Amino acid sequence: QDQLVESGGGSVQAGGSLRLSCQPSEVLTFNTDCMAWFREAPDKEREGIASIYRNNIRTDYLNSVKGRFTISRDTPKKTVFLQMNNLSVEDTGMYYCAALRSANWAGCSLRADVDYRGQGTQVTVSS
């Protein structure tokens, strides 16, 4: 059973917006204090997009998405969101939600190790 389930991907034109959601299951084998979104595209290395520690205590973003993407979470429901605005063709890829290994807020960044990753949701941006 998948412990992290992503949704919200789709196809949009450049300049459009999408909102991704990541819903953890009720039973988890990892800590969800530090969560992140990653993306993978053909012929490209995996990129860490954004991370968040608990309820926005600390966030970290890939430079190329700063000002366009916002990571947030609904603490009671444990849902993690990625609001993506002004999308470009370069944002195309499979987007994964992940739980990162971090003992505290200081260690919660895109450089932290991944404890668990979801199956992903595809985002396709056309020009």
Side-chain angles (χ1 to χ4, degrees):
Q1 180 182 357
D2 294 333
Q3 298 186 54
L4 293 175
V5 178
E6 302 94 333
S7 62
S11 297
V12 295
Q13 289 192 322
S17 298
L18 284 172
R19 188 192 195 205
L20 306 183
S21 298
C22 171
Q23 181 62 55
S25 63
E26 289 295 321
V27 179
L28 300 171
T29 59
F30 49 85
N31 186 285
T32 57
D33 283 346
C34 182
M35 299 292 291
W37 287 94
F38 290 81
R39 72 183 175 203
E40 293 181 358
D43 301 325
K44 290 185 179 180
E45 291 187 2
R46 186 184 74 176
E47 291 183 301
I49 302 301
S51 64
I52 186 168
Y53 185 77
R54 293 189 178 176
N55 191 20
N56 217 32
I57 292 176
R58 179 184 178 183
T59 57
D60 190 21
Y61 290 93
L62 180 70
N63 282 338
S64 65
V65 307
K66 286 180 180 178
R68 300 189 298 124
F69 292 10
T70 302
I71 190 170
S72 62
R73 65 195 303 169
D74 180 334
T75 301
K77 297 181 180 178
K78 299 183 180 180
T79 311
V80 180
F81 302 100
L82 184 68
Q83 177 66 44
M84 306 186 294
N85 297 327
N86 194 21
L87 284 160
S88 69
V89 174
E90 289 71 30
D91 295 317
T92 294
M94 184 70 78
Y95 283 68
Y96 299 92
C97 175
L100 302 184
R101 192 172 306 161
S102 176
N104 51 49
W105 66 268
C108 182
S109 75
L110 294 173
R111 294 178 296 278
D113 292 331
V114 174
D115 254 347
Y116 188 90
R117 190 187 81 170
Q119 295 296 314
T121 184
Q122 178 68 35
V123 171
T124 302
V125 185
S126 59
S127 58

PDB file of all heavy atoms in Angstrom, residues 12-26:
ATOM      1  N   VAL A  12      -1.026  21.389 -19.024  1.00  0.00           N
ATOM      2  CA  VAL A  12      -1.400  22.805 -19.085  1.00  0.00           C
ATOM      3  C   VAL A  12      -0.516  23.506 -20.098  1.00  0.00           C
ATOM      4  O   VAL A  12       0.546  23.003 -20.469  1.00  0.00           O
ATOM      5  CB  VAL A  12      -1.251  23.507 -17.711  1.00  0.00           C
ATOM      6  CG1 VAL A  12      -2.212  22.933 -16.707  1.00  0.00           C
ATOM      7  CG2 VAL A  12       0.170  23.407 -17.209  1.00  0.00           C
ATOM      8  N   GLN A  13      -0.942  24.674 -20.491  1.00  0.00           N
ATOM      9  CA  GLN A  13      -0.122  25.485 -21.370  1.00  0.00           C
ATOM     10  C   GLN A  13       0.814  26.342 -20.537  1.00  0.00           C
ATOM     11  O   GLN A  13       0.554  26.617 -19.355  1.00  0.00           O
ATOM     12  CB  GLN A  13      -1.001  26.371 -22.248  1.00  0.00           C
ATOM     13  CG  GLN A  13      -1.758  25.596 -23.325  1.00  0.00           C
ATOM     14  CD  GLN A  13      -2.390  26.521 -24.342  1.00  0.00           C
ATOM     15  OE1 GLN A  13      -2.880  27.593 -23.996  1.00  0.00           O
ATOM     16  NE2 GLN A  13      -2.395  26.100 -25.591  1.00  0.00           N
ATOM     17  N   ALA A  14       1.889  26.756 -21.150  1.00  0.00           N
ATOM     18  CA  ALA A  14       2.854  27.618 -20.469  1.00  0.00           C
ATOM     19  C   ALA A  14       2.141  28.854 -19.932  1.00  0.00           C
ATOM     20  O   ALA A  14       1.285  29.432 -20.608  1.00  0.00           O
ATOM     21  CB  ALA A  14       3.961  28.022 -21.430  1.00  0.00           C
ATOM     22  N   GLY A  15       2.501  29.209 -18.698  1.00  0.00           N
ATOM     23  CA  GLY A  15       1.851  30.327 -18.038  1.00  0.00           C
ATOM     24  C   GLY A  15       0.708  29.905 -17.135  1.00  0.00           C
ATOM     25  O   GLY A  15       0.209  30.713 -16.340  1.00  0.00           O
ATOM     26  N   GLY A  16       0.297  28.662 -17.259  1.00  0.00           N
ATOM     27  CA  GLY A  16      -0.808  28.157 -16.463  1.00  0.00           C
ATOM     28  C   GLY A  16      -0.385  27.738 -15.067  1.00  0.00           C
ATOM     29  O   GLY A  16       0.774  27.885 -14.672  1.00  0.00           O
ATOM     30  N   SER A  17      -1.352  27.195 -14.328  1.00  0.00           N
ATOM     31  CA  SER A  17      -1.113  26.807 -12.929  1.00  0.00           C
ATOM     32  C   SER A  17      -1.651  25.410 -12.660  1.00  0.00           C
ATOM     33  O   SER A  17      -2.601  24.957 -13.303  1.00  0.00           O
ATOM     34  CB  SER A  17      -1.810  27.796 -11.979  1.00  0.00           C
ATOM     35  OG  SER A  17      -1.302  29.098 -12.124  1.00  0.00           O
ATOM     36  N   LEU A  18      -1.026  24.763 -11.701  1.00  0.00           N
ATOM     37  CA  LEU A  18      -1.504  23.489 -11.178  1.00  0.00           C
ATOM     38  C   LEU A  18      -1.254  23.456  -9.682  1.00  0.00           C
ATOM     39  O   LEU A  18      -0.315  24.095  -9.190  1.00  0.00           O
ATOM     40  CB  LEU A  18      -0.777  22.305 -11.829  1.00  0.00           C
ATOM     41  CG  LEU A  18      -1.164  21.923 -13.255  1.00  0.00           C
ATOM     42  CD1 LEU A  18      -0.199  20.857 -13.778  1.00  0.00           C
ATOM     43  CD2 LEU A  18      -2.590  21.423 -13.337  1.00  0.00           C
ATOM     44  N   ARG A  19      -2.068  22.681  -8.987  1.00  0.00           N
ATOM     45  CA  ARG A  19      -1.854  22.488  -7.560  1.00  0.00           C
ATOM     46  C   ARG A  19      -1.768  20.991  -7.292  1.00  0.00           C
ATOM     47  O   ARG A  19      -2.734  20.262  -7.491  1.00  0.00           O
ATOM     48  CB  ARG A  19      -3.006  23.091  -6.754  1.00  0.00           C
ATOM     49  CG  ARG A  19      -2.747  23.102  -5.249  1.00  0.00           C
ATOM     50  CD  ARG A  19      -4.007  23.430  -4.500  1.00  0.00           C
ATOM     51  NE  ARG A  19      -3.748  23.805  -3.115  1.00  0.00           N
ATOM     52  CZ  ARG A  19      -4.627  23.677  -2.124  1.00  0.00           C
ATOM     53  NH1 ARG A  19      -5.832  23.190  -2.385  1.00  0.00           N
ATOM     54  NH2 ARG A  19      -4.322  24.045  -0.902  1.00  0.00           N
ATOM     55  N   LEU A  20      -0.599  20.583  -6.835  1.00  0.00           N
ATOM     56  CA  LEU A  20      -0.382  19.180  -6.509  1.00  0.00           C
ATOM     57  C   LEU A  20      -0.687  18.935  -5.036  1.00  0.00           C
ATOM     58  O   LEU A  20      -0.449  19.803  -4.190  1.00  0.00           O
ATOM     59  CB  LEU A  20       1.059  18.778  -6.806  1.00  0.00           C
ATOM     60  CG  LEU A  20       1.572  19.060  -8.218  1.00  0.00           C
ATOM     61  CD1 LEU A  20       2.998  18.530  -8.356  1.00  0.00           C
ATOM     62  CD2 LEU A  20       0.671  18.475  -9.268  1.00  0.00           C
ATOM     63  N   SER A  21      -1.180  17.744  -4.766  1.00  0.00           N
ATOM     64  CA  SER A  21      -1.459  17.347  -3.390  1.00  0.00           C
ATOM     65  C   SER A  21      -0.765  16.040  -3.074  1.00  0.00           C
ATOM     66  O   SER A  21      -0.615  15.178  -3.942  1.00  0.00           O
ATOM     67  CB  SER A  21      -2.968  17.168  -3.177  1.00  0.00           C
ATOM     68  OG  SER A  21      -3.655  18.362  -3.391  1.00  0.00           O
ATOM     69  N   CYS A  22      -0.370  15.887  -1.833  1.00  0.00           N
ATOM     70  CA  CYS A  22       0.257  14.659  -1.364  1.00  0.00           C
ATOM     71  C   CYS A  22      -0.438  14.263  -0.080  1.00  0.00           C
ATOM     72  O   CYS A  22      -0.389  15.000   0.913  1.00  0.00           O
ATOM     73  CB  CYS A  22       1.744  14.898  -1.121  1.00  0.00           C
ATOM     74  SG  CYS A  22       2.598  13.535  -0.302  1.00  0.00           S
ATOM     75  N   GLN A  23      -1.069  13.105  -0.103  1.00  0.00           N
ATOM     76  CA  GLN A  23      -1.823  12.660   1.056  1.00  0.00           C
ATOM     77  C   GLN A  23      -1.154  11.437   1.665  1.00  0.00           C
ATOM     78  O   GLN A  23      -1.099  10.376   1.054  1.00  0.00           O
ATOM     79  CB  GLN A  23      -3.253  12.309   0.666  1.00  0.00           C
ATOM     80  CG  GLN A  23      -4.111  11.869   1.834  1.00  0.00           C
ATOM     81  CD  GLN A  23      -4.245  12.984   2.870  1.00  0.00           C
ATOM     82  OE1 GLN A  23      -4.664  14.097   2.562  1.00  0.00           O
ATOM     83  NE2 GLN A  23      -3.873  12.684   4.114  1.00  0.00           N
ATOM     84  N   PRO A  24      -0.640  11.561   2.883  1.00  0.00           N
ATOM     85  CA  PRO A  24      -0.081  10.385   3.570  1.00  0.00           C
ATOM     86  C   PRO A  24      -1.198   9.448   4.032  1.00  0.00           C
ATOM     87  O   PRO A  24      -2.299   9.895   4.339  1.00  0.00           O
ATOM     88  CB  PRO A  24       0.648  10.985   4.774  1.00  0.00           C
ATOM     89  CG  PRO A  24       0.823  12.431   4.452  1.00  0.00           C
ATOM     90  CD  PRO A  24      -0.365  12.788   3.619  1.00  0.00           C
ATOM     91  N   SER A  25      -0.914   8.176   4.068  1.00  0.00           N
ATOM     92  CA  SER A  25      -1.892   7.228   4.566  1.00  0.00           C
ATOM     93  C   SER A  25      -1.970   7.297   6.090  1.00  0.00           C
ATOM     94  O   SER A  25      -1.177   7.975   6.728  1.00  0.00           O
ATOM     95  CB  SER A  25      -1.526   5.817   4.118  1.00  0.00           C
ATOM     96  OG  SER A  25      -0.288   5.429   4.667  1.00  0.00           O
ATOM     97  N   GLU A  26      -2.944   6.591   6.653  1.00  0.00           N
ATOM     98  CA  GLU A  26      -3.138   6.634   8.105  1.00  0.00           C
ATOM     99  C   GLU A  26      -1.977   5.970   8.848  1.00  0.00           C
ATOM    100  O   GLU A  26      -1.573   6.433   9.902  1.00  0.00           O
ATOM    101  CB  GLU A  26      -4.453   5.952   8.463  1.00  0.00           C
ATOM    102  CG  GLU A  26      -5.689   6.739   8.051  1.00  0.00           C
ATOM    103  CD  GLU A  26      -5.795   8.050   8.811  1.00  0.00           C
ATOM    104  OE1 GLU A  26      -5.491   8.065  10.020  1.00  0.00           O
ATOM    105  OE2 GLU A  26      -6.162   9.068   8.184  1.00  0.00           O
TER     106      GLU A  26
END
